[in-house]
Amino acid sequence: SVEGTCLDAPVRTLTFTAGEATHTIALGADAEAFDGAYVQIDGGMPLAMARTDIDRVFKKPAEFYQLNLTTLTTGEVQAVAVARGTDSYTLTREGSNWALAVDGQPAAGEVDIEKAELVVEAITGLRAEDVVFGQSALPGEADATVTLTVMNGDPLTFQFG
């Protein structure tokens, strides 16, 4: 390979079949003169490829998945229970208001509806950043557990670590 392209030890490779032929695209070092990198198709001459084309071809596996953690709307959530370390709280919908319990005990005072709705909105809007393959649970204890009680459905629990 041409010096500086790093195509002798590619960063990534893509193999695909077109008709009866199998082809390989090797991705090398970033180009210095523009926003892109060096590539090599089937061991041929090194070429320069634009970053936009690289991003379209060399997808991360997570990009093939829906990364929203839930499709729930805030109106479907009846309660949010948060447990973390030494404290916990539960927000429970009561008509158009919310009730708060801290460590299992009802909290005094009126809950700010807007702040409660923002918490529910934040949780229902959670998105994964990546997909971890070959692992179905956290490697250790959860730092926090959030359980949503929903209308017409099973509870939904998230663990954060």
Side-chain angles (χ1 to χ4, degrees):
S1 71
V2 175
E3 190 173 325
T5 63
C6 294
L7 289 167
D8 50 343
V11 175
R12 287 188 269 178
T13 58
L14 171 73
T15 303
F16 65 96
T17 303
E20 297 293 319
T22 298
H23 301 281
T24 300
I25 301 174
L27 177 65
D30 287 344
E32 294 179 17
F34 70 101
D35 187 22
Y38 298 103
V39 298
Q40 194 172 38
I41 301 171
D42 294 334
M45 255 179 77
L47 305 168
M49 182 181 246
R51 178 77 48 214
T52 54
D53 290 332
I54 292 168
D55 291 344
R56 289 188 342 209
V57 172
F58 289 95
K59 297 271 187 202
K60 292 175 28 178
E63 294 181 62
F64 295 102
Y65 291 89
Q66 173 59 258
L67 297 178
N68 292 341
L69 298 186
T70 176
T71 58
L72 293 173
T73 64
T74 57
E76 293 174 285
V77 176
Q78 296 303 297
V80 177
V82 177
R84 50 179 184 212
T86 59
D87 68 341
S88 65
Y89 71 87
T90 302
L91 282 168
T92 304
R93 188 184 300 272
E94 293 181 347
S96 60
N97 294 317
W98 289 90
L100 175 66
V102 178
D103 295 328
Q105 299 300 313
E110 194 172 308
V111 173
D112 184 323
I113 296 169
E114 186 176 320
K115 288 181 180 177
E117 291 287 338
L118 286 173
V119 168
V120 175
E121 187 177 307
I123 295 167
T124 58
L126 286 173
R127 285 182 51 85
E129 194 171 295
D130 204 352
V131 176
V132 180
F133 294 96
Q135 182 178 321
S136 61
L138 291 174
E141 289 294 314
D143 294 332
T145 300
V146 176
T147 302
L148 301 178
T149 302
V150 298
M151 267 193 280
N152 306 320
D154 293 327
L156 184 60
T157 299
F158 302 98
Q159 291 187 318
F160 300 89

